[in-house]
Amino acid sequence: MKTGVKLLFLMGIIIFVIIALFVGTKIWLNVTWFSELGYENVYTTILWTKIALWFTFFIIFLLFAGINFIIAFKKGNIQSIKIQQGGVPVEISKKVGVIISVIGLLILGLIMAKNGSGRWEIVLKYLNKTDFNLADPVLHRDISFYAFTLPIYLFLKAWSLGTVILTIVAVSFLYLISGNISFETNKLTMTDQSKKHIIFLILLITIIIAWNYWLKVYLLLFSKRGVIYGAGFVDIKISRPAYFIMIVVTLFITVMTYLGIKKRSFKQPLIGFGLLIGAAIVITGMLPGIVQKISVQPNELVRELPYIKHNINFTRKAFNLDTIEREAFPVAKSLTAADFAPEEGIMKNIRLWDHRPLKATFSQIQEFRLYYDFYDVDFDRYHFGDDYRQVMLSAREINYEEIPTEAKTWVNEKLQYTHGYGLVMAPVNEIGEEGLPVLIVKDIPPKISVPLRLDRPEIYYGEQTIPYVIVNTKLPEFDYPKGDTNVTTQYEGRGGIEIKNSMRKFLFAIQMKSLEIIFTQYLNPDSRLMVYRSIQERVPKIAPFLQFDPNPYLVVHDGRLFWIVDAYTRTDRFPYSNPHEDGYNYIRNSVKIIVDAYTGDVQFYIIDNEDPLIQTYSNIFPNLFKDISEMPEGLFEHIRYPLYIFSVQADLYSTYHMTDPQVFYNKEDKWHIPREIYGEEETDMIPYYTIIKFPDNGQNEEFVLILPFTPINKNNMLAWMAAKCDPENYGRIIEYKFPKEKLIYGPLQIESRIDQNSEISQLFTLWGQKGSSVIRGNLLVIPIKDSLIYVEPIYLRAEQSELPELKRVIIGYQDNIEIGLTLEDALYKTFGAPEITMPEKEVVEVTEPLVGINIQELVQKAASHFNQAQKMLNEGDFAGYGEYIKQLGEVLNQLQESTQ
């Protein structure tokens, strides 16, 4: 027996050492990794808070449950424990029983301690809370009470209740197996001590129930009962007093339970809980329902009007809808060809490329090797000299899943294929040969045709770079392919954790679960281990309390590549605010994050200093955040308003633009996100980035995020909303409302008119018959001056190809729908040719008449060739079309020569 105990003890020590080694290694690696980035205090703050909470709740549970166990053993006079094993009664001594009880107590303590330590964030927020300087309209508490204090009260209530219930179950089981509780002839019998003990614990539950009703008063402000989210008429007039009554009832039950202790009887507590359940059913259940049915529903608008107003005001504040400016937009029929002249700069930023077909195109023409991949296509804008251009770009990263199977060795994946290389960039509006994009940054090594510098094209940290790698080894890294050979490189940055010595190699091997790290001969003390290389993993690792935008985007700055990530602060505890479908009812885009694609350095910048949540996090982690004014100017120029939060705001604004409670109640002016045709499917319109000139901003071009609105159940357009992205006006959102007396076509109506256009429909049918797929791109509504145009690109993809080509551009203006080979062609058909003012020339006297040239005949030939070319085009005869265009060019050259 002693040998068995010793063996069991030894196994326990071995298991403990193994667990401690893995846990210790993980903590060491995290501390080292955070230290390399300069955020050691962030990790240690969270770690020590978790440890402190773990021990606090572990000790509290052990003290509470342990005292109850001791009372059960001593006062219950437990001398032995009887259990059934294989149908045979077995008696266990008190000593063994104590050991088993202690083990059970420790297991329960571990569970409750883990539950407590997991709430580190709400504890830290409570201890460092910042006022919102805004009180709720009913109970007049600052919003900080609901965001920071109420969550910890709710947790402590739930934890306390769980602790008492677990203790009751454990103590009751102890009394049961010790004979203090028994079933004889189907009758439950209990000793006086077991009764007193269990009834006392039940008394504690009644106190917690009373506390719960007090908390329920505040939770009424998040009620879903009425016509709006938040406390309504019934909640305030009926449920709130009912909860106070229930507090009194519960305290009365507490007294009755105490009498049960004195009389050593369950009769009083049972009667009390019967009264409590009955009161809860009648007072908090039936009564509010009856009042809602009889009094509120027949007079709902009158009864709920003030609470509807609260819901409108607080939802608008929680989602920053109250800062949206409102302007009138006349939609005049005033555009002419002159508005699209090159010097106006409008055409160069009308987006023709959509990110979905463009990603496929980039993949086909710029990946070069199977292991390269373009994960996503981003929208941004750049100043190329004096030219302000919107571009689409994508990083060329390594997709480790596409490395050939025979090359998937540890050396290749961890030491050689360490990074992606460069990017592809294309203007949004230019079409090259065969309907492909014009690439202004392309190839490996990068070829750049604009004033842009890229000295460090390597991408060690990106959207797709997930596995760990080791750099600065004795083995050169693969840099990029060049013909039949590969160019190699050595890492020159400070990213990653230094290997330094054999002990570190051993610890890295344990954490990475990779023995190769120990036995490889390629490492040296200067080698560096890069972990958490995916920015979707790297950034949340540092700041797990923030929520992150799903779409980081790449920026070229000062010859290097950086990622910009948007981060949000959110809570679901903003009174009266209508929740988003993801559960939160308050959100701010308070943080911009910069990640260096070469070194992995991460910087957090606060862009919304008015947000109480980010102020609280800044109090908790004072060295984590910098002010946005400290961001390098070249990167600051590339911040943009995030599509995610704009979509959330637009969705809510479609309802909460109505500020009159009566109009809101009747939903008289509810809006809707427009529908459009993408490919061949009808889908919701997605907000889109573009560069425009605002009607009130003269000639200044601004990068904005736009979305139109339509009425509910109708397809005409009634407004558009824009969020400004450039630094000087960042975050300013404007709603432009159309005149009610004008019919403005919505996107789906324009799509219908495109379908009804005989020339376009014949072209689509012809392409379809030849086995090609027609892809209808995003329909963009582009504000120009005080009017609108609609632009839809048309892509063609051959059945056997994954290479979409931009073949046509459709323009809609007023009642006119035109299609052209290019944007210029479609605009020419819509508005005609712009007037060209020729410079005055010196008049030269012609001394000799023109001989042998009939200008009228040349003009007729030109017209004939053009008409024949159009006919060939409509018939899908591209060879014939090209021939007639060639002949047209020859005639135009003759005309030019004849008039010189």
Side-chain angles (χ1 to χ4, degrees), residues 105 143-144 262 345 387 401 425 450 471 518 541 707 746 777 859:
L105 193 64
I143 304 302
S144 60
K262 290 294 185 181
D387 200 12
E401 294 181 359
M425 182 184 291
V450 290
V471 298
I518 297 176
K541 179 76 176 175
L707 184 68
V859 170

Side-chain angles (χ1 to χ4, degrees), residues 664-809:
F664 183 93
Y665 174 80
N666 293 322
K667 298 294 185 288
E668 296 175 16
D669 193 24
K670 185 172 172 58
W671 296 353
H672 193 263
I673 305 300
R675 305 280 288 174
E676 65 167 339
I677 303 294
Y678 180 82
E680 297 180 355
E681 302 292 330
E682 185 178 315
T683 183
D684 286 335
M685 195 173 219
I686 300 172
Y688 48 93
Y689 292 99
T690 188
I691 293 177
I692 64 172
K693 297 177 182 178
F694 278 90
D696 59 348
N697 200 23
Q699 294 300 309
N700 292 331
E701 298 174 314
E702 295 190 61
F703 188 58
V704 298
L705 185 57
I706 286 181
L707 184 68
F709 290 101
T710 60
I712 192 76
N713 296 326
K714 292 185 178 180
N715 291 326
N716 61 290
M717 198 160 58
L718 45 73
W720 61 279
M721 190 165 78
K724 297 191 175 186
C725 299
D726 291 334
E728 56 271 18
N729 289 308
Y730 179 82
R732 184 183 169 198
I733 304 178
I734 306 174
E735 170 219 318
Y736 286 95
K737 188 75 177 290
F738 301 149
K740 289 187 176 181
E741 65 274 9
K742 286 188 177 182
L743 172 64
I744 310 300
Y745 291 121
L748 207 56
Q749 290 175 319
I750 293 295
E751 300 280 20
S752 297
R753 297 192 62 225
I754 290 172
D755 291 334
Q756 295 165 8
N757 185 290
S758 59
E759 178 186 352
I760 297 173
S761 61
Q762 287 176 11
L763 193 58
F764 288 175
T765 302
L766 179 64
W767 281 338
Q769 289 174 349
K770 293 191 174 184
S772 298
S773 298
V774 178
I775 303 174
R776 295 171 67 163
N778 287 126
L779 177 68
L780 305 183
V781 182
I782 308 293
I784 299 176
K785 294 187 175 180
D786 56 357
S787 191
L788 299 171
I789 66 169
Y790 307 83
V791 180
E792 181 171 281
I794 304 298
Y795 311 95
L796 194 63
R797 184 175 60 202
E799 189 174 359
Q800 305 299 324
S801 171
E802 288 295 322
L803 185 63
E805 299 174 1
L806 201 161
K807 288 300 185 184
R808 296 291 186 276
V809 178

